[in-house]
């Protein structure tokens, strides 16, 4: 078992920060019974789970700090995100009452928050306020009746994280969650629509001067940000009908995008913001990797500019240029969701060689094909059997990465982590609904790892990749992320 679990990508503030717009925008109360508190506990009940299974709408809270504490998720990369207008100004319903109702049904952020977003042109001010929302309860103890007192603290860098842990872990009367700030989407850098490059570059400098400078930014997201193309992320019929992702989808970087990219990774005064390649189009990902290899060859070669996938999955294919299964990996590859929002085998190899990190997300629609999802959703009165089967969706991605890297003569267990995307409008794995079930997931992944690693017929070419199941889960849920923070969260 891990000492505690780490999540490289979640959105604990999306729902409560949204609810704060019903009163004072950005208010984060210590009263955890208030819906605008980041500690507000809203576990799924029977009807919630039924609605989620049928509609794929996750109305309950997944990554509130209370659920994180119950699931022993003690370090998180919280992803700040000013929701794009394309998610609330719907092409099939406009921006009137019907659109408000639909957008709130999907997101659960509240009508007043939706009304604000439908006219918002200043993403940077909004995401700055979300950052301040987190800071309001930084290091503030929260009382729980009959339970431990809890709090969260925000880390500035790895040395600060270690300092915070040395102080707080000795105080067993208070359970502490450690928070690392990240961003999702370079659109968050816009202060105007359309964007003005000089304003965006100035906002990057402002962001780099925050007390808690973001560790990394997921450069692309659901819609065109003016800098690079994005991968298709809405494939369900209703999602596709109500949103319009098509403009500039699957395109590469433009000149403005390259300038924004360079300003972010510029390490003057040690203020680099790393780049997360999730949501980039496959073409943009290729261009980014090529740029690192050419314009930043020395740092890339020294593994100082690692590739980051904060919340992703495999698509099972060799590469964008060669979209077929890697020979010998057909078994795991055929079970993948094949869309190119997921990652090709050549990208996973490049990530491992760069000293990067791959956070596996927990969205059913992304981590398995429809056929494989239907296969693992077995009918059984035994909850244990159903959890064991459903967790195969995660394990299949792990096994694919391990066998792929082993096949390419690499140590296979030092780049895999968890990046759940909880509260990022995902379709969670049945029975692993929220952060509260993270410790359960650890146990079932350890079972799968044990079965694979002790089976003499499992194909692993190198003995150094036949580690124990206990070490495998320790790495995936804890130590790989800690080691990545040590090297790069500076």
């Amino acid at each position: 078992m891990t000492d505690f679990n780490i999540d490289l990508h979640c959105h604990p503030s999306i729902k409560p920060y949204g609810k704060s717009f019903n009163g004072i925008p950005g208010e984060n109360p210590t009263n955890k019974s208030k819906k605008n508190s980041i500690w507000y506990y809203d576990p799924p009940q029977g009807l919630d789970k039924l609605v989620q299974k049928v509609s794929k709408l996750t109305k309950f809270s997944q990554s509130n700090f209370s659920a994180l504490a119950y699931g022993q998720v003690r370090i998180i990369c919280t992803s700040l995100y000013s929701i794009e207008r394309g998610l609330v100004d719907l092409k099939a319903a406009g921006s009137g009452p019907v659109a408000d109702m639909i957008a709130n049904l999907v997101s659960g952020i509240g009508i007043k928050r939706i009304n604000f977003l439908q006219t918002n042109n200043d993403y940077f001010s909004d995401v700055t306020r979300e950052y301040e929302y987190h800071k309001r309860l930084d290091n503030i103890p929260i009382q729980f009746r009959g339970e431990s007192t809890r709090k969260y603290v925000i880390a500035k860098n790895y040395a600060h994280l270690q300092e915070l842990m040395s102080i707080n872990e000795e105080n067993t009367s208070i359970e502490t969650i450690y928070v690392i700030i990240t961003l999702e989407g370079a659109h968050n850098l816009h202060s105007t629509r359309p964007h003005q490059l000089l304003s965006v570059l100035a906002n990057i400098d402002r962001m780099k001067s925050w007390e808690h400078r973001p560790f990394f930014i997921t450069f692309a997201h659901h819609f065109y940000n003016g800098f690079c193309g994005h991968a298709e992320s809405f494939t369900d019929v209703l999602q596709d009908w109500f949103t319009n992702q098509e403009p500039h989808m699957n395109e590469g970087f433009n000149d403005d995008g390259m300038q924004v990219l360079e300003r972010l990774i510029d390490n003057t005064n040690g203020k680099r913001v790393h780049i997360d390649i999730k949501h980039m189009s496959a073409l943009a990902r290729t261009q980014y990797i090529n740029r690192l290899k050419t314009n930043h060859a020395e740092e890339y070669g020294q593994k100082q500019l690692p590739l980051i996938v904060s919340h992703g999955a495999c698509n099972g294919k060799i590469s964008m240029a060669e979209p077929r299964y890697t020979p010998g990996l057909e078994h795991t590859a055929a079970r993948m969701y094949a869309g190119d929002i997921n990652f090709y085998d050549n990208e996973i190899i490049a990530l491992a060689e760069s000293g990067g990190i791959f956070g596996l997300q927990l969205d059913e629609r992304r981590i398995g094909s429809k056929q494989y999802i239907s296969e693992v959703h077995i009918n059984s009165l035994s909850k244990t059997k159903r959890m064991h089967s459903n967790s195969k969706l995660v394990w299949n991605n792990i096994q694919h990465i391990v066998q792929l890297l082993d096949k390419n003569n690499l140590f296979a267990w030092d780049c895999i982590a968890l990046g759940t995307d909880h509260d990022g409008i995902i379709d969670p794995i049945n029975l692993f609904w929220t952060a509260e079930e993270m410790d359960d997931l650890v146990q079932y992944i350890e079972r799968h790892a044990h079965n694979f690693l002790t089976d003499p017929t499992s194909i692993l070419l190198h003995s150094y990749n036949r580690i124990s199941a206990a070490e495998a889960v320790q790495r995936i849920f804890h130590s790989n992320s800690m080691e990545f923070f040590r090297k790069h969260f500076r």
Side-chain angles (χ1 to χ4, degrees), residues 41 47 51 75 199 215 219 269 272 275 285 310 316 421 451 460:
Y41 183 52
L47 182 59
V51 169
I75 299 180
S199 171
F215 179 27
F219 196 85
N269 299 320
R272 169 170 289 154
I275 303 299
R285 299 194 304 255
S310 68
D421 202 18
N451 292 340
L460 284 174

Side-chain angles (χ1 to χ4, degrees), residues 11 13-14 17 21 26 78-83 113 116-117 120-136 181-191 203-204 206-207 210 212 214 217:
H11 297 275
S13 57
I14 276 188
Y17 174 63
F21 281 70
T78 187
S79 187
L80 307 182
Y81 167 46
S82 181
I83 295 174
R113 172 66 171 159
F116 167 83
L117 292 168
N120 179 43
N121 289 320
D122 188 350
Y123 288 121
F124 187 71
S125 292
D126 187 45
V127 85
T128 301
R129 182 167 47 209
E130 188 181 358
Y131 164 55
E132 295 293 337
Y133 172 87
H134 280 79
K135 289 178 65 177
R136 282 186 172 84
I181 300 294
T182 67
L183 262 68
E184 181 146 43
H187 72 279
N188 288 294
L189 304 171
H190 295 181
S191 289
N203 285 341
I204 293 173
R206 293 187 184 97
M207 181 183 70
W210 287 357
H212 310 91
I217 179 171

Side-chain angles (χ1 to χ4, degrees), residues 226-440:
F227 307 131
C228 79
H230 52 285
E232 184 178 23
S233 54
F234 296 143
T235 55
D236 294 350
V237 174
L238 284 177
Q239 289 178 330
D240 194 43
W241 175 256
F242 283 110
T243 59
N244 183 22
Q245 283 195 290
E246 282 69 23
H248 302 280
M249 189 167 71
N250 299 323
E251 293 182 5
F253 276 84
N254 61 26
D255 290 340
D256 281 4
M258 283 300 179
Q259 291 190 58
V260 170
L261 172 70
E262 292 293 345
R263 183 65 65 93
L264 286 164
I265 64 175
D266 178 78
N267 204 30
T268 301
N269 299 320
K271 291 190 174 184
R272 169 170 289 154
V273 177
H274 285 276
I275 303 299
D276 171 16
I277 63 174
K278 175 62 190 284
H279 286 291
M280 283 185 189
S281 68
L283 175 59
R285 299 194 304 255
T286 299
Q287 291 175 337
Y288 171 66
I289 295 170
N290 288 340
R291 189 173 185 88
L292 293 184
K293 290 179 178 179
T294 54
N295 293 43
H296 302 274
E298 183 176 356
E299 283 191 291
Y300 184 72
Q302 294 175 352
K303 300 184 179 181
Q304 295 175 6
L305 279 168
L307 299 180
I308 300 173
V309 174
S310 68
H311 58 299
C314 312
N315 64 26
K317 301 174 184 177
I318 294 175
S319 67
M320 181 173 64
E322 197 173 0
R324 60 183 180 86
Y325 299 153
T326 296
L329 300 181
E330 294 88 353
H331 178 69
T332 52
R335 296 170 169 177
M336 302 297 184
Y337 171 70
D340 64 8
I341 191 172
N342 285 352
F343 291 86
Y344 293 99
D345 287 355
N346 71 320
E347 295 174 313
I348 297 169
I349 295 166
L351 179 143
E353 290 176 336
S354 76
I357 195 83
F358 194 110
L360 288 169
Q361 66 184 109
L362 300 185
D363 187 334
E364 280 197 345
R365 296 166 299 187
R366 293 291 170 265
I367 60 176
S369 66
K370 289 184 178 179
Q371 179 178 343
Y372 191 51
I373 292 170
S374 66
E375 289 176 10
V376 301
H377 284 177
I378 61 173
N379 293 317
S380 174
L381 295 177
S382 169
K383 183 179 178 181
T384 298
K385 289 182 179 178
R386 285 183 284 130
M387 293 181 85
H388 178 85
S389 188
N390 291 349
S391 61
K392 290 178 182 177
L393 289 167
V394 181
W395 172 253
N396 186 62
N397 281 266
I398 295 170
Q399 181 179 329
H400 185 85
I401 294 172
V402 167
Q403 290 184 300
L404 171 68
L405 298 182
D406 177 76
K407 189 180 181 69
N408 285 272
N409 305 315
L410 296 167
F411 182 61
W413 296 98
D414 60 355
C415 65
I416 310 172
L418 255 287
T420 63
D421 202 18
H422 279 149
D423 279 343
I425 318 179
I426 68 167
D427 177 12
I429 302 169
N430 288 355
L431 302 177
F432 300 97
W433 307 104
T434 75
E436 189 168 353
E437 288 81 37
M438 183 70 87
D439 251 359
D440 294 330

Side-chain angles (χ1 to χ4, degrees), residues 174-212:
I174 300 180
E175 188 175 349
T176 305
I177 296 171
Y178 304 89
V179 177
I180 296 171
I181 300 294
T182 67
L183 262 68
E184 181 146 43
H187 72 279
N188 288 294
L189 304 171
H190 295 181
S191 289
T192 59
R193 287 168 56 93
H195 79 271
Q196 297 175 5
L197 180 61
L198 291 179
S199 171
V200 169
L201 297 177
N203 285 341
I204 293 173
D205 294 340
R206 293 187 184 97
M207 181 183 70
K208 286 189 173 189
S209 69
W210 287 357
E211 181 182 4
H212 310 91

